[in-house]
Amino acid sequence: MEEKQICPWCQTEITWDEEIGPESHCPHCENELSGYRTMNIGIGDGGESDDIDEEDMDLPEWNDTDDDSEADWAAEQEGYIGATRSTLAAQGVIQEITEAQYEVPECPNCREYMLEAGTQVLGGEGFVPTAPEVIGEPFLPSPFRIVWYVCPSCFATSSQLSAGDREYMMGKLSERE
């Protein structure tokens, strides 16, 4: 005989066979069926609730830390930043920076938008450009510029040829003798 259970998260009726046993996760929303929690909120006369006393409950104090302890905690983590007041405030600044950028590449690691960190000039005396036989001359100018980007989420860095040098390169590659 089959028994029925209702998922408290998505309200879907789950039918399970008594030989196999009850499901531990909902097959529709993938939430844990036994992990559903309820919270009683006293609404009404504005007085203290008889059911629950805050003194009796062992509630965590969310956001009861100062910025120094948040910085210490973030320093202990390896490559992860939790949602603190300072990181939430930084999100607004990050969005303004990306809106003002000419190009906004995505991070190859975490797919967040990257911030332009600066430009590096490569070439000069220490750089010997390659001249492929097909075109007979170097396809990059010497010196050329690399634009560096940094991800504000996972701190990965990425670089690409500057826009002007990309145009130069495509011009050289498209012309043939």
Side-chain angles (χ1 to χ4, degrees), residues 1-165:
M1 179 175 167
E2 295 181 348
E3 298 209 18
K4 296 180 181 178
Q5 180 179 17
I6 296 188
C7 173
W9 299 94
C10 67
Q11 304 300 317
T12 303
E13 185 177 346
I14 302 166
T15 305
W16 52 274
D17 189 357
E18 63 183 33
E19 290 179 9
I20 298 173
E23 298 280 342
S24 62
H25 290 81
C26 175
H28 301 283
C29 67
E30 298 296 327
N31 283 312
E32 184 180 351
L33 293 174
S34 63
Y36 189 76
R37 307 290 186 257
T38 59
M39 183 168 77
N40 296 326
I41 299 174
I43 300 175
D45 60 356
E48 292 184 25
S49 173
D50 293 335
D51 298 332
I52 301 172
D53 290 334
E54 287 185 19
E55 297 168 359
D56 295 338
M57 295 180 66
D58 189 20
L59 297 174
E61 292 294 326
W62 305 106
N63 209 6
D64 192 25
T65 60
D66 56 0
D67 287 335
D68 292 336
S69 65
E70 289 176 1
D72 293 340
W73 179 83
E76 292 173 9
Q77 302 298 316
E78 296 180 11
Y80 173 76
I81 293 183
T84 62
R85 281 179 277 159
S86 59
T87 57
L88 292 175
Q91 290 298 324
V93 175
I94 290 168
Q95 183 175 358
E96 288 181 36
I97 292 171
T98 56
E99 287 174 358
Q101 286 181 196
Y102 179 68
E103 291 181 291
V104 186
E106 284 187 349
C107 176
N109 294 339
C110 68
R111 311 298 287 173
E112 289 288 328
Y113 291 130
M114 299 183 84
L115 303 177
E116 185 175 328
T119 304
Q120 181 179 17
V121 178
L122 296 176
E125 291 181 23
F127 178 71
V128 179
T130 302
E133 290 181 27
V134 176
I135 57 175
E137 62 182 321
F139 55 86
L140 279 179
S142 181
F144 61 93
R145 289 180 171 72
I146 301 285
V147 180
W148 282 94
Y149 296 93
V150 64
C151 177
S153 293
C154 70
F155 307 107
T157 57
S158 179
S159 63
Q160 66 182 165
L161 209 52
S162 68
D165 291 333

